[in-house]
Amino acid sequence: MVGVIVINIVCIICVFWVFFDATSNNIGSYVVRDGVRKGCRRGIHPVVWAELSIFILPFIWYLINRKSLLIAAEEYPVKTDKSVSFIILLLLVSGWLLYRYKDYLFY
């Protein structure tokens, strides 16, 4: 039981680190301004990056591709509303934790 709790804490730390890293470096969805693909949405919103990081493999993929994401963010910076996105992320993580521990919380 203690091992599961530690793994969940590590996953939650990964989620919020990815969220704050992506928002502080302007990584996220952006719109290509020039060329044939004008208006095409590319990238992933910071909340989605963070929520996918609950599973360890997307977190590792984010770390591996972080440099290319930072380069793309320099060319197409994204301003994310941290307060609304944080609330959404907090609700998603809280719902995940409630579902994960429903047997212990609700007899």
Side-chain angles (χ1 to χ4, degrees), residues 27-54:
I27 296 172
S29 299
Y30 55 89
V31 178
V32 178
R33 291 180 262 180
D34 299 327
V36 178
R37 298 177 58 120
K38 184 176 181 182
C40 179
R41 293 194 69 79
R42 297 182 61 200
I44 298 177
H45 195 274
V47 172
V48 178
W49 273 117
E51 194 61 31
L52 288 175
S53 294
I54 285 177

Side-chain angles (χ1 to χ4, degrees), residues 19-30 46 69-70 72-74 76-80 82:
F19 173 73
F20 286 114
D21 182 61
T23 55
S24 65
N25 291 312
N26 298 325
I27 296 172
S29 299
Y30 55 89
L69 292 170
L70 289 173
E74 287 176 6
Y76 303 107
V78 176
K79 297 296 179 192
T80 303
K82 288 183 185 177

Side-chain angles (χ1 to χ4, degrees), residues 84-99:
V84 172
S85 298
F86 182 77
I87 291 170
I88 290 170
L89 183 63
L90 188 63
L91 289 174
L92 289 171
V93 168
S94 300
W96 176 71
L97 285 175
L98 283 174
Y99 176 75

